[in-house]
Amino acid sequence: MRIMKALVVFDSNFGNTRLIAENIVKQLGKGTELVSAQGFKNSNLTGVKLLVVGSPINEWNPTEHTKKFLSLLKKGQLKGIKAAAFDTRVRLFGGNAAKKIAEALQNAGAEIIVAPQGFYVTGEDGPLADGEIDRSSGWVKQIKKAFKGLPTD
Ligand SMILES: Cc1cc2nc3c(=O)[nH]c(=O)nc-3n(C[C@H](O)[C@H](O)[C@H](O)COP(=O)(O)O)c2cc1C
C-alpha cells in the first residue's frame, strides 16, 4: 500500500467540527495528520499531497482562525496538492463556508477534487445531527476515489 501524506486542518468552537475532522483523519488512514487552523505552520504542508480543510460557519463565513490560516497560504503554494473543504452548519441559518474555503484553496493553487460539503449540527453548540459522522465517512470515500492511487477501504 502506498503511503500518502495527507493533512486535515480544522477549526472548532464547540467540538463538532473537530469530531468530523477526527473521523476524516481516521478514514483517510495512515500518513494523515490533524492540525488546528490556529496551530498551522507552513511547514505542516511539507510533503502533503492531500489537504482537507474544515470550519464551522460563523456569520455565513469560515471562522476568523480559518480565514487567518487561508491568508497564510501564498499564491501557488498548493500547486500539485489535491484538496477538499467542508463546514459544519445549522439548518436554516444559511451560508456556505466550505465553498469559500475551496475557492481560497484553489486560489493558492490546489486542485479541488470533490464538491465542498456541509455537515449539520442540531444547535449552535451541537450536537452533530444523526448520521453526520457516517456521512463524512462517505465523503472520504469520494475523496479517496477522486485521489487516484489511494486505497478505497
Ligand atoms: C457567532 C456564530 C455565528 C454563526 N453563524 C452561522 C451561520 O451563518 N450559518 C450557519 O449555518 N451556522 C452558523 N452558526 C452555527 C455554527 O455552524 C455552529 O456553531 C457550528 O457548526 C458548530 O461547530 P463547532 O462545534 O465545531 O464550533 C454560528 C454560530 C456562532 C457561534
Side-chain angles (χ1 to χ4, degrees):
M1 193 193 291
R2 203 156 67 95
I3 306 274
M4 178 252 353
K5 195 168 168 197
L7 180 69
V8 178
V9 180
F10 77 100
D11 190 26
S12 188
N13 296 311
F14 306 107
N16 299 283
T17 315
R18 173 187 279 273
L19 287 176
I20 297 282
E22 284 173 350
N23 185 53
I24 289 170
V25 168
K26 187 174 153 203
Q27 300 301 325
L28 283 171
K30 242 188 189 152
T32 308
E33 280 172 12
L34 180 68
V35 67
S36 70
Q38 229 179 335
F40 172 84
K41 296 186 207 76
N42 272 304
S43 59
N44 290 119
L45 283 170
T46 308
V48 165
K49 300 278 184 269
L50 173 69
L51 173 64
V52 180
V53 180
S55 170
I57 302 184
N58 276 184
E59 288 164 6
W60 308 283
N61 283 290
T63 60
E64 291 304 316
H65 290 147
T66 307
K67 285 193 277 190
K68 175 102 190 288
F69 151 68
L70 292 169
S71 75
L72 291 176
L73 300 173
K74 297 176 190 83
K75 201 170 162 63
Q77 188 182 354
L78 300 183
K79 215 159 183 260
I81 296 181
K82 297 185 180 185
F86 73 94
D87 62 45
T88 59
R89 50 178 75 179
V90 174
R91 268 183 221 282
L92 305 180
F93 271 33
N96 192 339
K99 188 166 168 242
K100 290 181 178 172
I101 294 167
E103 283 164 3
L105 296 175
Q106 204 164 22
N107 285 341
E111 181 194 348
I112 302 299
I113 57 170
V114 293
Q117 188 65 251
F119 298 103
Y120 288 95
V121 294
T122 54
E124 220 168 68
D125 57 355
L128 286 164
D130 281 353
E132 292 301 76
I133 291 283
D134 285 348
R135 208 159 64 77
S136 70
S137 300
W139 190 59
V140 171
K141 277 197 180 134
Q142 287 178 35
I143 293 173
K144 285 183 173 182
K145 210 170 154 191
F147 190 105
K148 267 210 193 95
L150 265 180
T152 53
D153 56 349

